[in-house]
Amino acid sequence: NFWKNIKNIFKKWPCQFFYKMLLILLSALSSCVSDKPYHPDIKVGIIQKADKCKKAVNEDSLVYAHVEARISDQALPIISTYKSDSPIRIKISSKNIIPGFKKGLLGACKGEIRRITIPPALAYGSNSIDGLFPPYSTFVVNVEIVEIVDSSSH
């Protein structure tokens, strides 16, 4: 029945249908092509949910977290706090945090593990950092929230 309807459309409006499909295809392709070599937003995946969320990370939080970060096309991490078993201290309002990491942490809860994929636009962009990160690098960061300190106590 579906294919019969498609055949009827072709019989009635073969050129119109073809041009409509061509326009749809071209508009889809044009949205994939950009003058920027990266996607402008982060992706956040939840690897492990928190048992209970009493307090979520916000703009004023001080967070202790384990972090394992790598460049998207590399298998080995560049940074891992699991090796030293020493979580890092992250003040969310700090200007030193790359915007994509901050954005990916907001709303996280103690005990939660997230995978944050950070495009160059929200990381270091066209800059190379100490030869470790090439320009236009996309980062994949696994972060485990160990503790969230109340914003009024830091």
Side-chain angles (χ1 to χ4, degrees):
N1 197 15
F2 171 76
W3 291 112
K4 213 180 235 187
N5 289 337
I6 296 297
K7 284 182 183 178
N8 287 335
I9 290 171
F10 269 109
K11 284 180 187 175
K12 291 180 184 176
W13 306 290
C15 290
Q16 289 177 347
F17 182 78
F18 173 77
Y19 288 119
K20 284 182 184 178
M21 292 306 292
L22 184 61
L23 284 174
I24 290 169
L25 178 63
L26 288 175
S27 66
L29 287 174
S30 68
S31 68
C32 295
V33 177
S34 171
D35 58 342
K36 297 178 183 174
Y38 46 78
H39 188 275
D41 208 3
I42 65 167
K43 293 178 187 171
V44 178
I46 309 296
I47 295 173
Q48 177 182 308
K49 283 188 162 194
D51 291 332
K52 293 181 182 177
C53 189
K54 295 179 183 175
K55 184 184 336 179
V57 175
N58 64 51
E59 296 276 347
D60 297 320
S61 295
L62 174 64
V63 177
Y64 290 89
H66 276 294
V67 175
E68 188 170 82
R70 65 180 175 83
I71 297 173
S72 64
D73 61 352
Q74 295 179 358
L76 297 175
I78 297 168
I79 300 164
S80 179
T81 60
Y82 287 104
K83 292 177 184 174
S84 65
D85 196 33
S86 184
I88 62 170
R89 178 183 182 270
I90 306 163
K91 188 172 183 181
I92 300 298
S93 62
S94 171
K95 301 282 184 210
N96 296 329
I97 298 175
I98 60 173
F101 188 52
K102 174 181 177 176
K103 191 174 180 181
L105 287 174
L106 294 174
C109 298
K110 180 179 176 179
E112 188 172 303
I113 301 174
R114 289 186 172 191
R115 175 167 291 147
I116 308 166
T117 303
I118 307 168
L122 295 173
Y124 299 109
S126 61
N127 300 319
S128 176
I129 305 300
D130 296 330
L132 287 175
F133 314 132
Y136 302 108
S137 293
T138 296
F139 293 91
V140 178
V141 182
N142 290 347
V143 58
E144 178 183 356
I145 307 300
V146 176
E147 190 64 53
I148 303 170
V149 179
D150 188 18
S151 58
S152 62
S153 64
H154 66 265

